[in-house]
Amino acid sequence: MKILFLDQSGKPGGAELCLIDIAKPYREKALVGLFADGSFKTLLQQHSIPVEVLGTQAIKVSKDSSLFQALFSLGQLVPLIKKVIQRAQEYDLIYANTQKALVIGAIASFFARRPLVYHLHDILSKEHFSQTNLNVAITLANRFASLVIANSQASKTAFIQAGGKSGIVKVVYNGFTPQTYQIPETEIQKTRTELGLESKFIIGHFSRLAPWKGQHILISALTNCPPETTVILVGDALFGEQDYIQQLHQQVKELKLENRVKFLGFRSDIPQLMAACNLVAHTSIAPEPFGRVIVEAMLSGRPVVAAKAGGAVELVEQGINGFLVTPANPQELAQVITACIQEPEKTATIAKNAQINASLRFDVTTINQQIAQLLATIKSKLQ
Ligand code: UDP
């Protein structure tokens, strides 16, 4: 099947990393059309996935834009829309991987008469989006998408609650290659030495720096954790949240934690860094649509503590394969981290369970089969 994948982002967030795995099996006959240039394009090229930057003008609709702003922005996008319609005619199906890709993909689907699939990586609720954005996404998905692939039950439920048609939405989790997360002990020690944290209890936080990802909750929790605990914050502000970075640095300074918090910026060696951690913390204060980092921590054999909301609840079973804490509650987070340090054997058993279970549940081959089966149903409807 010839697929035109569309994604708005020039930088690789979770949705983009997931798209690499989805597009790979189709790469002989597929194209990934991006609406912005950047490091995501390079990453796709490294995986030999054909990619073209179809638009370079930034789409100015933000997550809380009004309808007027949205329409004004649409006017500026005519060249991009024309290009996508043109490309779509060479492919069997349009696969929109982000919300802005859904908008452009829906228009192209109409004019090029190609079916549209929307991969929903978001929780479509007012916590994350303006009412206008919600209305646009739901209306377009209902009207134009033959299939909506939700990345969790939580994303599916929010879609339906916001007015999305239940008949078109199916849940498929993100897939992973478990072997990628098996790092030799010598390499682990090397990374810990490079970080200058050989003797520390390293808590890793892997996420773009954004207020709703709750890095400030972890910093706050650190004041109630044993002195040997150190945090590494891995990630950068992908969508311009520079104020939040300043806020985090200020918080670290005020709490006198300069020696216990390291900002590593965006990194592409996540498996190596995760393996060097003693624990991985996920601290989102709004419901997480899926939470790739939670599964990655499990595959790395590291204990994971996650904020109990959204997709995280589908991934973690308290005390069985990880730990769940109330979102935005630093005291509770500190208690769980301290318990993990005090009960290393119990914690290691839980991490081992998680690793075995996640290797089966999220294997990329199985996940890609699920997607192929869903896409095949669209193809058969067309014939
Ligand atoms: N990630 C990365 N480099 C970083 C920080 C994060 O490659 O410096 C990856 C992380 O390993 C995960 C993804 O970005 O695969 C984030 O996905 P997640 O579902 O956790 O959050 P999202 O960005 O989709 O909200």
Side-chain angles (χ1 to χ4, degrees), residues 14-15 17 207-208 213 234-235 265-267 270 288 291-293 296:
L17 295 171
S207 170
R208 61 198 147 92
K213 290 291 189 180
V234 185
F266 184 87
R267 299 277 296 240
I270 298 300
E288 185 71 59
R292 289 177 60 86
V293 291
E296 290 170 331

Side-chain angles (χ1 to χ4, degrees), residues 32-38 41 51-56 83:
V32 178
L34 300 181
F35 303 168
D37 207 344
K41 182 182 82 177
V51 55
E52 184 181 346
V53 178
L54 299 172
T56 45
K83 218 183 247 182

Side-chain angles (χ1 to χ4, degrees), residues 20-40:
I20 293 175
D21 288 321
I22 291 171
K24 221 186 253 178
Y26 300 96
R27 64 187 162 192
E28 303 300 327
K29 296 183 193 163
L31 176 69
V32 178
L34 300 181
F35 303 168
D37 207 344
S39 53
F40 181 38

Side-chain angles (χ1 to χ4, degrees), residues 173 290-291 294-295 298 311-317 321 361-362:
Y173 290 132
F290 176 72
I294 298 170
V295 178
M298 290 175 173
V313 180
E314 295 162 53
L315 308 179
V316 179
E317 235 183 305
N321 63 350
R361 194 173 172 210
F362 302 104

Side-chain angles (χ1 to χ4, degrees), residues 12-15 17 121 151 174 176 181 205-208 212-213 234-236 238-239 265-270 274 282 288-294 296:
L17 295 171
H121 296 277
N151 65 350
N174 282 205
F176 298 82
Y181 299 87
H205 192 291
F206 298 81
S207 170
R208 61 198 147 92
W212 78 271
K213 290 291 189 180
V234 185
D236 204 351
L238 286 191
F239 308 118
F266 184 87
R267 299 277 296 240
S268 40
D269 54 347
I270 298 300
M274 272 201 184
H282 163 272
E288 185 71 59
F290 176 72
R292 289 177 60 86
V293 291
I294 298 170
E296 290 170 331

